[in-house]
Amino acid sequence: MISLADKVLSVNNDLPIRTNLPVHSGKVRSVYWLTEADSRRLIEHNNYDVAPDSPLAIMVISDRISAFECIWKGQGGMQGVPGKGAALNAISNHWFKLFRENNLADSHILDIPHPLVWIVQKAKPVMIEAICRQYITGSMWRAYDKGERDFCGIQIADDLQKDQKLAELLITPSTKGILKGIPGVPEVDDVNISRADIENNFSAFKFNNAGDIDVYERLLKQGFDVISDELAKLDQIFVDTKFEFGYVKDRSGAEKLIYMDEVGTPDSSRIWDGPQYRQGRVVENSKEGFRQLLLNHFTNSDILLDKNRMDERYALAKDNELPESVMMEVSDTYVGLAEKIIGQSLPLSDNPKAEIIEILSSKYNLID
């Protein structure tokens, strides 16, 4: 009998995919850079619109769930959330498709061999977490409640209430990684920056030229609007989100700015239930709901909020198995939202790792 734990892909950096480089494993995704020969073969065989010498990678998403900078696990050997990875990929795939149909920009995804797998082209990332906000909540509200009124160089009004819709969509970018030598920008990860910071140091943020700052802002706003309008049809509210951008080369060798990473997912965005919001309640259809579950689950929740207690926080995640009901509540949120967005049931695997190996072997000849 197949258990819930069997259906979870928790370890995704041990697949026998042919590569000459170390596997890059993040909190949720692992990236396998293909050999030059395999990259060229796939580009030619599948007629991808990329330069013939573009490096390609296999990106495999896991079902792991991170929050408060830790990876969490459940009882019964459940090392992740059933369906979470497939849900994130399906949602991103849907939005990327709509972006293309609306003539916004391409993404780094070239092919989708399996619900948990993308074939991607190498991009030169812009070193900005492109964040935009339609409502005042979360960290922005906490800072506002303490008296802050300047957000990334934008002055906002004095009379706002928690979870209120803002007068306009705000772009509040932060640094991606630790950037050194930029005047006025602290050398730490994820620090807020203004548009003036970007304009005055566009090359340090890895923009090809100053004009691409306007392009990134346009793609950010247009992408946000596309997702927000579609979610509104489902009576869901797109509250805030993070996009990432990068440069790739097309078949002719011309560079273009594209969307990369994931977009409009419960991991990268806040999404609220519309009917509940109109009744004065915030119900999260995003990872924020899991964060609240964790804060309510542990008696000493300050460990999760105090960055000076990281060792205790890591120990909390390592030494505690969350109830299966918590993990399945999160699963229901992710899978339910994905199925609403894509308009069909989400394909879930009983043995995801075996499926991935089989298709990458038989269809793409990438398994040693």
PDB file of all heavy atoms in Angstrom, residues 276-312:
ATOM      1  N   GLN A 276     -14.208  36.095   2.089  1.00  0.00           N
ATOM      2  CA  GLN A 276     -13.824  36.281   3.489  1.00  0.00           C
ATOM      3  C   GLN A 276     -13.302  37.698   3.731  1.00  0.00           C
ATOM      4  O   GLN A 276     -13.602  38.315   4.759  1.00  0.00           O
ATOM      5  CB  GLN A 276     -12.756  35.250   3.887  1.00  0.00           C
ATOM      6  CG  GLN A 276     -13.233  33.817   3.895  1.00  0.00           C
ATOM      7  CD  GLN A 276     -14.144  33.500   5.074  1.00  0.00           C
ATOM      8  OE1 GLN A 276     -14.230  34.255   6.030  1.00  0.00           O
ATOM      9  NE2 GLN A 276     -14.856  32.377   4.980  1.00  0.00           N
ATOM     10  N   TYR A 277     -12.526  38.228   2.787  1.00  0.00           N
ATOM     11  CA  TYR A 277     -11.985  39.586   2.948  1.00  0.00           C
ATOM     12  C   TYR A 277     -13.116  40.609   3.028  1.00  0.00           C
ATOM     13  O   TYR A 277     -13.066  41.548   3.838  1.00  0.00           O
ATOM     14  CB  TYR A 277     -11.046  39.916   1.787  1.00  0.00           C
ATOM     15  CG  TYR A 277     -10.431  41.298   1.880  1.00  0.00           C
ATOM     16  CD1 TYR A 277      -9.372  41.564   2.761  1.00  0.00           C
ATOM     17  CD2 TYR A 277     -10.918  42.345   1.102  1.00  0.00           C
ATOM     18  CE1 TYR A 277      -8.813  42.830   2.852  1.00  0.00           C
ATOM     19  CE2 TYR A 277     -10.364  43.621   1.187  1.00  0.00           C
ATOM     20  CZ  TYR A 277      -9.310  43.853   2.063  1.00  0.00           C
ATOM     21  OH  TYR A 277      -8.770  45.118   2.154  1.00  0.00           O
ATOM     22  N   ARG A 278     -14.145  40.428   2.216  1.00  0.00           N
ATOM     23  CA  ARG A 278     -15.264  41.373   2.231  1.00  0.00           C
ATOM     24  C   ARG A 278     -16.040  41.312   3.540  1.00  0.00           C
ATOM     25  O   ARG A 278     -16.742  42.267   3.904  1.00  0.00           O
ATOM     26  CB  ARG A 278     -16.187  41.110   1.035  1.00  0.00           C
ATOM     27  CG  ARG A 278     -15.538  41.475  -0.300  1.00  0.00           C
ATOM     28  CD  ARG A 278     -16.559  41.482  -1.436  1.00  0.00           C
ATOM     29  NE  ARG A 278     -17.098  40.165  -1.726  1.00  0.00           N
ATOM     30  CZ  ARG A 278     -16.503  39.274  -2.527  1.00  0.00           C
ATOM     31  NH1 ARG A 278     -15.335  39.567  -3.106  1.00  0.00           N
ATOM     32  NH2 ARG A 278     -17.057  38.100  -2.766  1.00  0.00           N
ATOM     33  N   GLN A 279     -15.894  40.192   4.249  1.00  0.00           N
ATOM     34  CA  GLN A 279     -16.544  40.063   5.563  1.00  0.00           C
ATOM     35  C   GLN A 279     -15.613  40.488   6.704  1.00  0.00           C
ATOM     36  O   GLN A 279     -15.934  40.307   7.875  1.00  0.00           O
ATOM     37  CB  GLN A 279     -17.003  38.622   5.769  1.00  0.00           C
ATOM     38  CG  GLN A 279     -18.113  38.190   4.828  1.00  0.00           C
ATOM     39  CD  GLN A 279     -18.475  36.719   4.980  1.00  0.00           C
ATOM     40  OE1 GLN A 279     -18.272  36.131   6.046  1.00  0.00           O
ATOM     41  NE2 GLN A 279     -19.000  36.123   3.929  1.00  0.00           N
ATOM     42  N   GLY A 280     -14.458  41.030   6.334  1.00  0.00           N
ATOM     43  CA  GLY A 280     -13.552  41.550   7.349  1.00  0.00           C
ATOM     44  C   GLY A 280     -12.547  40.556   7.883  1.00  0.00           C
ATOM     45  O   GLY A 280     -11.870  40.823   8.882  1.00  0.00           O
ATOM     46  N   ARG A 281     -12.411  39.395   7.228  1.00  0.00           N
ATOM     47  CA  ARG A 281     -11.456  38.381   7.662  1.00  0.00           C
ATOM     48  C   ARG A 281     -10.434  38.121   6.566  1.00  0.00           C
ATOM     49  O   ARG A 281     -10.777  38.079   5.381  1.00  0.00           O
ATOM     50  CB  ARG A 281     -12.160  37.057   7.994  1.00  0.00           C
ATOM     51  CG  ARG A 281     -13.086  37.121   9.180  1.00  0.00           C
ATOM     52  CD  ARG A 281     -13.693  35.745   9.446  1.00  0.00           C
ATOM     53  NE  ARG A 281     -12.669  34.774   9.820  1.00  0.00           N
ATOM     54  CZ  ARG A 281     -12.540  33.592   9.244  1.00  0.00           C
ATOM     55  NH1 ARG A 281     -13.328  33.240   8.236  1.00  0.00           N
ATOM     56  NH2 ARG A 281     -11.595  32.755   9.652  1.00  0.00           N
ATOM     57  N   VAL A 282      -9.176  37.926   6.966  1.00  0.00           N
ATOM     58  CA  VAL A 282      -8.123  37.563   6.015  1.00  0.00           C
ATOM     59  C   VAL A 282      -7.905  36.060   6.101  1.00  0.00           C
ATOM     60  O   VAL A 282      -7.521  35.540   7.156  1.00  0.00           O
ATOM     61  CB  VAL A 282      -6.813  38.317   6.304  1.00  0.00           C
ATOM     62  CG1 VAL A 282      -5.657  37.707   5.533  1.00  0.00           C
ATOM     63  CG2 VAL A 282      -6.961  39.788   5.932  1.00  0.00           C
ATOM     64  N   VAL A 283      -8.191  35.352   5.013  1.00  0.00           N
ATOM     65  CA  VAL A 283      -7.937  33.919   4.917  1.00  0.00           C
ATOM     66  C   VAL A 283      -6.910  33.724   3.816  1.00  0.00           C
ATOM     67  O   VAL A 283      -7.160  34.047   2.652  1.00  0.00           O
ATOM     68  CB  VAL A 283      -9.232  33.131   4.612  1.00  0.00           C
ATOM     69  CG1 VAL A 283      -8.910  31.660   4.367  1.00  0.00           C
ATOM     70  CG2 VAL A 283     -10.225  33.282   5.754  1.00  0.00           C
ATOM     71  N   GLU A 284      -5.750  33.207   4.191  1.00  0.00           N
ATOM     72  CA  GLU A 284      -4.630  33.060   3.265  1.00  0.00           C
ATOM     73  C   GLU A 284      -4.758  31.816   2.398  1.00  0.00           C
ATOM     74  O   GLU A 284      -5.023  30.728   2.911  1.00  0.00           O
ATOM     75  CB  GLU A 284      -3.308  32.972   4.047  1.00  0.00           C
ATOM     76  CG  GLU A 284      -2.967  34.195   4.878  1.00  0.00           C
ATOM     77  CD  GLU A 284      -2.348  35.303   4.052  1.00  0.00           C
ATOM     78  OE1 GLU A 284      -2.152  35.107   2.836  1.00  0.00           O
ATOM     79  OE2 GLU A 284      -2.062  36.364   4.621  1.00  0.00           O
ATOM     80  N   ASN A 285      -4.593  31.991   1.097  1.00  0.00           N
ATOM     81  CA  ASN A 285      -4.417  30.854   0.196  1.00  0.00           C
ATOM     82  C   ASN A 285      -2.981  30.860  -0.300  1.00  0.00           C
ATOM     83  O   ASN A 285      -2.715  30.809  -1.504  1.00  0.00           O
ATOM     84  CB  ASN A 285      -5.408  30.937  -0.975  1.00  0.00           C
ATOM     85  CG  ASN A 285      -6.769  30.403  -0.588  1.00  0.00           C
ATOM     86  OD1 ASN A 285      -6.862  29.481   0.214  1.00  0.00           O
ATOM     87  ND2 ASN A 285      -7.815  30.990  -1.126  1.00  0.00           N
ATOM     88  N   SER A 286      -2.050  30.948   0.638  1.00  0.00           N
ATOM     89  CA  SER A 286      -0.625  31.033   0.301  1.00  0.00           C
ATOM     90  C   SER A 286       0.175  30.512   1.491  1.00  0.00           C
ATOM     91  O   SER A 286      -0.388  30.104   2.504  1.00  0.00           O
ATOM     92  CB  SER A 286      -0.236  32.483  -0.014  1.00  0.00           C
ATOM     93  OG  SER A 286      -0.629  33.345   1.036  1.00  0.00           O
ATOM     94  N   LYS A 287       1.501  30.534   1.343  1.00  0.00           N
ATOM     95  CA  LYS A 287       2.352  29.996   2.411  1.00  0.00           C
ATOM     96  C   LYS A 287       2.225  30.793   3.701  1.00  0.00           C
ATOM     97  O   LYS A 287       2.575  30.295   4.779  1.00  0.00           O
ATOM     98  CB  LYS A 287       3.810  29.939   1.952  1.00  0.00           C
ATOM     99  CG  LYS A 287       4.681  29.116   2.903  1.00  0.00           C
ATOM    100  CD  LYS A 287       5.996  28.706   2.289  1.00  0.00           C
ATOM    101  CE  LYS A 287       6.942  29.841   2.069  1.00  0.00           C
ATOM    102  NZ  LYS A 287       8.265  29.369   1.615  1.00  0.00           N
ATOM    103  N   GLU A 288       1.713  31.999   3.617  1.00  0.00           N
ATOM    104  CA  GLU A 288       1.495  32.782   4.832  1.00  0.00           C
ATOM    105  C   GLU A 288       0.591  32.028   5.807  1.00  0.00           C
ATOM    106  O   GLU A 288       0.752  32.124   7.024  1.00  0.00           O
ATOM    107  CB  GLU A 288       0.891  34.142   4.474  1.00  0.00           C
ATOM    108  CG  GLU A 288       0.819  35.125   5.628  1.00  0.00           C
ATOM    109  CD  GLU A 288       2.186  35.487   6.192  1.00  0.00           C
ATOM    110  OE1 GLU A 288       3.181  35.459   5.435  1.00  0.00           O
ATOM    111  OE2 GLU A 288       2.271  35.787   7.398  1.00  0.00           O
ATOM    112  N   GLY A 289      -0.348  31.247   5.262  1.00  0.00           N
ATOM    113  CA  GLY A 289      -1.201  30.441   6.126  1.00  0.00           C
ATOM    114  C   GLY A 289      -0.405  29.405   6.905  1.00  0.00           C
ATOM    115  O   GLY A 289      -0.685  29.141   8.081  1.00  0.00           O
ATOM    116  N   PHE A 290       0.608  28.805   6.259  1.00  0.00           N
ATOM    117  CA  PHE A 290       1.464  27.836   6.942  1.00  0.00           C
ATOM    118  C   PHE A 290       2.282  28.518   8.028  1.00  0.00           C
ATOM    119  O   PHE A 290       2.464  27.960   9.123  1.00  0.00           O
ATOM    120  CB  PHE A 290       2.386  27.150   5.931  1.00  0.00           C
ATOM    121  CG  PHE A 290       3.343  26.152   6.525  1.00  0.00           C
ATOM    122  CD1 PHE A 290       2.881  25.045   7.207  1.00  0.00           C
ATOM    123  CD2 PHE A 290       4.716  26.337   6.400  1.00  0.00           C
ATOM    124  CE1 PHE A 290       3.757  24.128   7.762  1.00  0.00           C
ATOM    125  CE2 PHE A 290       5.611  25.428   6.950  1.00  0.00           C
ATOM    126  CZ  PHE A 290       5.124  24.313   7.634  1.00  0.00           C
ATOM    127  N   ARG A 291       2.765  29.727   7.735  1.00  0.00           N
ATOM    128  CA  ARG A 291       3.513  30.469   8.761  1.00  0.00           C
ATOM    129  C   ARG A 291       2.641  30.696   9.999  1.00  0.00           C
ATOM    130  O   ARG A 291       3.108  30.553  11.137  1.00  0.00           O
ATOM    131  CB  ARG A 291       4.001  31.806   8.200  1.00  0.00           C
ATOM    132  CG  ARG A 291       5.032  31.680   7.087  1.00  0.00           C
ATOM    133  CD  ARG A 291       5.602  33.047   6.731  1.00  0.00           C
ATOM    134  NE  ARG A 291       6.474  32.989   5.573  1.00  0.00           N
ATOM    135  CZ  ARG A 291       6.113  33.313   4.338  1.00  0.00           C
ATOM    136  NH1 ARG A 291       4.874  33.739   4.104  1.00  0.00           N
ATOM    137  NH2 ARG A 291       6.958  33.242   3.343  1.00  0.00           N
ATOM    138  N   GLN A 292       1.373  31.044   9.774  1.00  0.00           N
ATOM    139  CA  GLN A 292       0.476  31.260  10.907  1.00  0.00           C
ATOM    140  C   GLN A 292       0.212  29.956  11.657  1.00  0.00           C
ATOM    141  O   GLN A 292       0.132  29.950  12.893  1.00  0.00           O
ATOM    142  CB  GLN A 292      -0.850  31.859  10.412  1.00  0.00           C
ATOM    143  CG  GLN A 292      -0.721  33.267   9.846  1.00  0.00           C
ATOM    144  CD  GLN A 292      -0.141  34.249  10.841  1.00  0.00           C
ATOM    145  OE1 GLN A 292      -0.480  34.234  12.024  1.00  0.00           O
ATOM    146  NE2 GLN A 292       0.771  35.106  10.363  1.00  0.00           N
ATOM    147  N   LEU A 293       0.103  28.847  10.918  1.00  0.00           N
ATOM    148  CA  LEU A 293      -0.053  27.543  11.574  1.00  0.00           C
ATOM    149  C   LEU A 293       1.132  27.255  12.498  1.00  0.00           C
ATOM    150  O   LEU A 293       0.954  26.758  13.618  1.00  0.00           O
ATOM    151  CB  LEU A 293      -0.172  26.433  10.527  1.00  0.00           C
ATOM    152  CG  LEU A 293      -1.505  26.291   9.789  1.00  0.00           C
ATOM    153  CD1 LEU A 293      -1.373  25.300   8.634  1.00  0.00           C
ATOM    154  CD2 LEU A 293      -2.605  25.820  10.741  1.00  0.00           C
ATOM    155  N   LEU A 294       2.339  27.557  12.015  1.00  0.00           N
ATOM    156  CA  LEU A 294       3.525  27.317  12.833  1.00  0.00           C
ATOM    157  C   LEU A 294       3.529  28.210  14.075  1.00  0.00           C
ATOM    158  O   LEU A 294       3.843  27.759  15.184  1.00  0.00           O
ATOM    159  CB  LEU A 294       4.790  27.574  12.011  1.00  0.00           C
ATOM    160  CG  LEU A 294       5.107  26.564  10.903  1.00  0.00           C
ATOM    161  CD1 LEU A 294       6.300  27.039  10.085  1.00  0.00           C
ATOM    162  CD2 LEU A 294       5.384  25.173  11.478  1.00  0.00           C
ATOM    163  N   LEU A 295       3.186  29.473  13.892  1.00  0.00           N
ATOM    164  CA  LEU A 295       3.175  30.398  15.034  1.00  0.00           C
ATOM    165  C   LEU A 295       2.163  29.953  16.089  1.00  0.00           C
ATOM    166  O   LEU A 295       2.395  30.103  17.293  1.00  0.00           O
ATOM    167  CB  LEU A 295       2.848  31.815  14.556  1.00  0.00           C
ATOM    168  CG  LEU A 295       3.938  32.511  13.734  1.00  0.00           C
ATOM    169  CD1 LEU A 295       3.416  33.808  13.139  1.00  0.00           C
ATOM    170  CD2 LEU A 295       5.184  32.783  14.576  1.00  0.00           C
ATOM    171  N   ASN A 296       1.054  29.385  15.634  1.00  0.00           N
ATOM    172  CA  ASN A 296       0.034  28.915  16.583  1.00  0.00           C
ATOM    173  C   ASN A 296       0.386  27.558  17.183  1.00  0.00           C
ATOM    174  O   ASN A 296      -0.065  27.229  18.285  1.00  0.00           O
ATOM    175  CB  ASN A 296      -1.331  28.820  15.876  1.00  0.00           C
ATOM    176  CG  ASN A 296      -1.854  30.181  15.469  1.00  0.00           C
ATOM    177  OD1 ASN A 296      -1.558  31.186  16.103  1.00  0.00           O
ATOM    178  ND2 ASN A 296      -2.642  30.216  14.392  1.00  0.00           N
ATOM    179  N   HIS A 297       1.192  26.773  16.463  1.00  0.00           N
ATOM    180  CA  HIS A 297       1.502  25.403  16.897  1.00  0.00           C
ATOM    181  C   HIS A 297       2.513  25.387  18.041  1.00  0.00           C
ATOM    182  O   HIS A 297       2.404  24.541  18.951  1.00  0.00           O
ATOM    183  CB  HIS A 297       2.043  24.602  15.712  1.00  0.00           C
ATOM    184  CG  HIS A 297       2.359  23.176  16.020  1.00  0.00           C
ATOM    185  ND1 HIS A 297       1.379  22.227  16.256  1.00  0.00           N
ATOM    186  CD2 HIS A 297       3.558  22.525  16.145  1.00  0.00           C
ATOM    187  CE1 HIS A 297       1.961  21.065  16.501  1.00  0.00           C
ATOM    188  NE2 HIS A 297       3.270  21.210  16.441  1.00  0.00           N
ATOM    189  N   PHE A 298       3.502  26.292  18.001  1.00  0.00           N
ATOM    190  CA  PHE A 298       4.555  26.290  19.006  1.00  0.00           C
ATOM    191  C   PHE A 298       4.268  27.329  20.089  1.00  0.00           C
ATOM    192  O   PHE A 298       3.935  28.475  19.784  1.00  0.00           O
ATOM    193  CB  PHE A 298       5.914  26.571  18.360  1.00  0.00           C
ATOM    194  CG  PHE A 298       6.376  25.476  17.431  1.00  0.00           C
ATOM    195  CD1 PHE A 298       6.347  25.644  16.055  1.00  0.00           C
ATOM    196  CD2 PHE A 298       6.827  24.260  17.938  1.00  0.00           C
ATOM    197  CE1 PHE A 298       6.758  24.636  15.200  1.00  0.00           C
ATOM    198  CE2 PHE A 298       7.238  23.243  17.092  1.00  0.00           C
ATOM    199  CZ  PHE A 298       7.202  23.427  15.721  1.00  0.00           C
ATOM    200  N   THR A 299       4.424  26.901  21.337  1.00  0.00           N
ATOM    201  CA  THR A 299       4.117  27.814  22.448  1.00  0.00           C
ATOM    202  C   THR A 299       5.095  28.985  22.488  1.00  0.00           C
ATOM    203  O   THR A 299       4.704  30.106  22.775  1.00  0.00           O
ATOM    204  CB  THR A 299       4.158  27.054  23.790  1.00  0.00           C
ATOM    205  OG1 THR A 299       5.421  26.366  23.901  1.00  0.00           O
ATOM    206  CG2 THR A 299       3.020  26.052  23.864  1.00  0.00           C
ATOM    207  N   ASN A 300       6.368  28.709  22.188  1.00  0.00           N
ATOM    208  CA  ASN A 300       7.363  29.780  22.195  1.00  0.00           C
ATOM    209  C   ASN A 300       7.614  30.246  20.760  1.00  0.00           C
ATOM    210  O   ASN A 300       8.672  30.038  20.181  1.00  0.00           O
ATOM    211  CB  ASN A 300       8.668  29.286  22.837  1.00  0.00           C
ATOM    212  CG  ASN A 300       9.639  30.428  23.110  1.00  0.00           C
ATOM    213  OD1 ASN A 300       9.332  31.592  22.833  1.00  0.00           O
ATOM    214  ND2 ASN A 300      10.800  30.104  23.651  1.00  0.00           N
ATOM    215  N   SER A 301       6.608  30.908  20.181  1.00  0.00           N
ATOM    216  CA  SER A 301       6.680  31.273  18.766  1.00  0.00           C
ATOM    217  C   SER A 301       7.664  32.399  18.498  1.00  0.00           C
ATOM    218  O   SER A 301       8.012  32.648  17.340  1.00  0.00           O
ATOM    219  CB  SER A 301       5.293  31.667  18.266  1.00  0.00           C
ATOM    220  OG  SER A 301       4.792  32.777  18.994  1.00  0.00           O
ATOM    221  N   ASP A 302       8.154  33.056  19.542  1.00  0.00           N
ATOM    222  CA  ASP A 302       9.126  34.134  19.339  1.00  0.00           C
ATOM    223  C   ASP A 302      10.403  33.623  18.677  1.00  0.00           C
ATOM    224  O   ASP A 302      11.092  34.374  17.980  1.00  0.00           O
ATOM    225  CB  ASP A 302       9.472  34.798  20.684  1.00  0.00           C
ATOM    226  CG  ASP A 302      10.415  35.984  20.510  1.00  0.00           C
ATOM    227  OD1 ASP A 302      10.021  36.952  19.833  1.00  0.00           O
ATOM    228  OD2 ASP A 302      11.556  35.909  21.009  1.00  0.00           O
ATOM    229  N   ILE A 303      10.693  32.335  18.878  1.00  0.00           N
ATOM    230  CA  ILE A 303      11.876  31.737  18.230  1.00  0.00           C
ATOM    231  C   ILE A 303      11.776  31.889  16.708  1.00  0.00           C
ATOM    232  O   ILE A 303      12.777  32.103  16.020  1.00  0.00           O
ATOM    233  CB  ILE A 303      11.994  30.247  18.611  1.00  0.00           C
ATOM    234  CG1 ILE A 303      12.332  30.103  20.099  1.00  0.00           C
ATOM    235  CG2 ILE A 303      13.060  29.538  17.765  1.00  0.00           C
ATOM    236  CD1 ILE A 303      12.325  28.661  20.594  1.00  0.00           C
ATOM    237  N   LEU A 304      10.538  31.812  16.185  1.00  0.00           N
ATOM    238  CA  LEU A 304      10.339  31.891  14.734  1.00  0.00           C
ATOM    239  C   LEU A 304      10.445  33.315  14.203  1.00  0.00           C
ATOM    240  O   LEU A 304      10.590  33.512  12.994  1.00  0.00           O
ATOM    241  CB  LEU A 304       8.967  31.313  14.367  1.00  0.00           C
ATOM    242  CG  LEU A 304       8.741  29.852  14.737  1.00  0.00           C
ATOM    243  CD1 LEU A 304       7.311  29.436  14.432  1.00  0.00           C
ATOM    244  CD2 LEU A 304       9.731  28.956  14.005  1.00  0.00           C
ATOM    245  N   LEU A 305      10.369  34.287  15.085  1.00  0.00           N
ATOM    246  CA  LEU A 305      10.352  35.689  14.658  1.00  0.00           C
ATOM    247  C   LEU A 305      11.645  36.435  14.961  1.00  0.00           C
ATOM    248  O   LEU A 305      11.896  37.497  14.387  1.00  0.00           O
ATOM    249  CB  LEU A 305       9.184  36.425  15.342  1.00  0.00           C
ATOM    250  CG  LEU A 305       7.786  35.860  15.045  1.00  0.00           C
ATOM    251  CD1 LEU A 305       6.746  36.555  15.907  1.00  0.00           C
ATOM    252  CD2 LEU A 305       7.450  36.006  13.572  1.00  0.00           C
ATOM    253  N   ASP A 306      12.461  35.876  15.844  1.00  0.00           N
ATOM    254  CA  ASP A 306      13.688  36.556  16.275  1.00  0.00           C
ATOM    255  C   ASP A 306      14.891  35.977  15.536  1.00  0.00           C
ATOM    256  O   ASP A 306      15.295  34.841  15.775  1.00  0.00           O
ATOM    257  CB  ASP A 306      13.863  36.370  17.791  1.00  0.00           C
ATOM    258  CG  ASP A 306      15.021  37.183  18.349  1.00  0.00           C
ATOM    259  OD1 ASP A 306      15.827  37.712  17.552  1.00  0.00           O
ATOM    260  OD2 ASP A 306      15.122  37.279  19.585  1.00  0.00           O
ATOM    261  N   LYS A 307      15.472  36.778  14.635  1.00  0.00           N
ATOM    262  CA  LYS A 307      16.604  36.300  13.833  1.00  0.00           C
ATOM    263  C   LYS A 307      17.859  36.085  14.675  1.00  0.00           C
ATOM    264  O   LYS A 307      18.824  35.482  14.194  1.00  0.00           O
ATOM    265  CB  LYS A 307      16.889  37.277  12.694  1.00  0.00           C
ATOM    266  CG  LYS A 307      15.852  37.218  11.590  1.00  0.00           C
ATOM    267  CD  LYS A 307      16.327  37.893  10.332  1.00  0.00           C
ATOM    268  CE  LYS A 307      15.343  37.668   9.195  1.00  0.00           C
ATOM    269  NZ  LYS A 307      15.806  38.237   7.914  1.00  0.00           N
ATOM    270  N   ASN A 308      17.854  36.554  15.905  1.00  0.00           N
ATOM    271  CA  ASN A 308      18.993  36.308  16.798  1.00  0.00           C
ATOM    272  C   ASN A 308      18.913  34.927  17.453  1.00  0.00           C
ATOM    273  O   ASN A 308      19.811  34.548  18.197  1.00  0.00           O
ATOM    274  CB  ASN A 308      19.056  37.384  17.891  1.00  0.00           C
ATOM    275  CG  ASN A 308      19.343  38.764  17.321  1.00  0.00           C
ATOM    276  OD1 ASN A 308      20.222  38.922  16.469  1.00  0.00           O
ATOM    277  ND2 ASN A 308      18.600  39.766  17.778  1.00  0.00           N
ATOM    278  N   ARG A 309      17.845  34.195  17.170  1.00  0.00           N
ATOM    279  CA  ARG A 309      17.665  32.868  17.781  1.00  0.00           C
ATOM    280  C   ARG A 309      17.631  31.781  16.704  1.00  0.00           C
ATOM    281  O   ARG A 309      16.904  30.800  16.817  1.00  0.00           O
ATOM    282  CB  ARG A 309      16.379  32.845  18.614  1.00  0.00           C
ATOM    283  CG  ARG A 309      16.341  33.914  19.703  1.00  0.00           C
ATOM    284  CD  ARG A 309      15.049  33.898  20.498  1.00  0.00           C
ATOM    285  NE  ARG A 309      14.921  32.705  21.325  1.00  0.00           N
ATOM    286  CZ  ARG A 309      13.873  32.480  22.131  1.00  0.00           C
ATOM    287  NH1 ARG A 309      12.888  33.353  22.207  1.00  0.00           N
ATOM    288  NH2 ARG A 309      13.815  31.359  22.849  1.00  0.00           N
ATOM    289  N   MET A 310      18.444  31.964  15.659  1.00  0.00           N
ATOM    290  CA  MET A 310      18.399  31.040  14.532  1.00  0.00           C
ATOM    291  C   MET A 310      18.785  29.622  14.922  1.00  0.00           C
ATOM    292  O   MET A 310      18.187  28.650  14.437  1.00  0.00           O
ATOM    293  CB  MET A 310      19.294  31.533  13.395  1.00  0.00           C
ATOM    294  CG  MET A 310      18.770  32.763  12.668  1.00  0.00           C
ATOM    295  SD  MET A 310      17.096  32.573  12.007  1.00  0.00           S
ATOM    296  CE  MET A 310      17.318  31.216  10.854  1.00  0.00           C
ATOM    297  N   ASP A 311      19.749  29.445  15.805  1.00  0.00           N
ATOM    298  CA  ASP A 311      20.137  28.092  16.209  1.00  0.00           C
ATOM    299  C   ASP A 311      18.963  27.365  16.861  1.00  0.00           C
ATOM    300  O   ASP A 311      18.724  26.176  16.604  1.00  0.00           O
ATOM    301  CB  ASP A 311      21.326  28.138  17.175  1.00  0.00           C
ATOM    302  CG  ASP A 311      22.629  28.493  16.476  1.00  0.00           C
ATOM    303  OD1 ASP A 311      22.656  28.433  15.224  1.00  0.00           O
ATOM    304  OD2 ASP A 311      23.605  28.843  17.164  1.00  0.00           O
ATOM    305  N   GLU A 312      18.218  28.073  17.708  1.00  0.00           N
ATOM    306  CA  GLU A 312      17.042  27.480  18.338  1.00  0.00           C
ATOM    307  C   GLU A 312      15.976  27.161  17.285  1.00  0.00           C
ATOM    308  O   GLU A 312      15.278  26.147  17.369  1.00  0.00           O
ATOM    309  CB  GLU A 312      16.458  28.440  19.375  1.00  0.00           C
ATOM    310  CG  GLU A 312      17.335  28.670  20.596  1.00  0.00           C
ATOM    311  CD  GLU A 312      16.752  29.747  21.489  1.00  0.00           C
ATOM    312  OE1 GLU A 312      15.872  29.421  22.314  1.00  0.00           O
ATOM    313  OE2 GLU A 312      17.152  30.923  21.339  1.00  0.00           O
TER     314      GLU A 312
END
